[in-house]
Amino acid sequence: MIVVSKKTEVHSLLENKRQSGSKIGFVPTMGALHDGHLSLMREALRVSDVLLVSIFVNPTQFNSSSDLENYPRQLENDLALLETVAPNAVVFAPEVTEMYPPNETLRSYDLGGLDDVMEGAKRPGHFQGVAAIVDKLFQISGPCKAFFGEKDFQQLAIIRHVAAQYHPHVDIYGVPTRRESDGLAMSSRNMLLSPALRAEAPIIYQSMLKFARQVRHDGIEACLKEFVAMVEKSGHLKVEYAEVARSKDLKSVTDFEENTRFFTAVFAGDVRLIDNVSLS
Ligand code: PAF
């Protein structure tokens, strides 16, 4: 495994590999790696010759300074874990100033309105930050196949949009959400949960599955009410939003239709958990 911290190092390493005919797979991450990330890497390794993994807690996508401060950082652990699945990976772990040189003016991205809803509405500026970092990362990676989890389905849609506009030689792949055995979607934030809240959190997915089973019959409004009641029953979890939106354009719908997903964000104490599931 090669670990580098400079853009130019990644660029020339990959250029060499490309010249010898290797196809690049890229898994961008913010570290605190878990099995969900590893499944992205396994998928990338399956369809490419060289794996690039970036580990960078991107400050511009955090809209709360405490969230940024509390975000888990554990580079040593991450590298040890990576070594077990991808011993030949190129790992890019830059400092903040490498990605955001002082005095740089950030551009504003047209995200086609995909950022107006759900996570975008609740976390102003979040997706501009995601767009900024993936744009920079794709400039560094060059042509590749890049892998993202469907847990962040809205992020995946926005990254597809950014790649289509600015990086046509980067192919975006979505990988299904990995779940713990009790159904909780894997996330680096799960490790911030207290044991009591961790024990309660699986109710989110259980309630989502119930929603998915009943929505055709009972309708969206009634099922949403039931979802919120079920999740909030103990008094420790708080639903920030729950809605059904079209998979393609993320437009919210109130009457059930096919090719939609159920999306939710739930606070477990201070920890914000998001999840989504296909309804058709
Ligand atoms: O999903 C993530 O881990 C991050 O949002 C990403 C895509 C690596 C950008 O910082």
Side-chain angles (χ1 to χ4, degrees), residues 28-30 58 61 133 148 152 155 159:
T29 80
M30 297 209 296
N58 172 36
Q61 73 187 75
I133 196 66
F148 299 88
D152 299 296
Q155 165 174 281
I159 291 173

Side-chain angles (χ1 to χ4, degrees), residues 73-214:
R73 291 165 172 85
Q74 44 180 55
L75 185 60
E76 289 309 309
N77 277 358
D78 288 346
L79 296 179
L81 191 59
L82 257 172
E83 188 72 47
T84 65
V85 275
N88 299 321
V90 174
V91 182
F92 177 46
E95 296 293 334
V96 172
T97 48
E98 180 69 5
M99 298 311 289
Y100 295 102
N103 304 327
E104 181 196 40
T105 326
L106 285 179
R107 69 195 294 174
S108 154
Y109 294 85
D110 170 7
L111 302 178
L114 292 167
D115 56 332
D116 290 343
V117 296
M118 299 189 287
E119 292 301 287
K122 298 294 180 196
R123 303 181 67 192
H126 167 66
F127 285 124
Q128 284 294 324
V130 171
I133 196 66
V134 297
D135 181 16
K136 285 167 181 282
L137 288 169
F138 291 161
Q139 277 169 37
I140 300 166
S141 68
C144 63
K145 299 182 200 297
F147 296 78
F148 299 88
E150 286 186 346
K151 184 182 80 74
D152 299 296
F153 195 88
Q154 188 174 7
Q155 165 174 281
L156 176 61
I158 285 173
I159 291 173
R160 282 191 203 284
H161 185 84
V162 171
Q165 272 180 300
Y166 302 105
H167 301 280
H169 302 300
V170 175
D171 296 330
I172 307 296
Y173 289 69
V175 178
T177 304
R178 283 291 301 262
R179 297 183 180 279
E180 303 290 352
S181 54
D182 58 17
L184 180 65
M186 287 187 187
S187 161
S188 305
R189 291 176 200 273
N190 293 353
M191 65 180 78
L192 302 174
L193 293 168
S194 67
L197 288 172
R198 172 65 189 81
E200 279 196 29
I203 191 70
I204 301 169
Y205 185 55
Q206 287 159 19
S207 312
M208 289 167 68
L209 291 181
K210 187 160 188 210
F211 184 101
R213 278 196 305 272
Q214 295 189 340

Side-chain angles (χ1 to χ4, degrees), residues 41-48:
M41 291 171 200
R42 289 196 188 95
E43 194 52 31
L45 284 166
R46 214 172 54 80
V47 295
S48 52

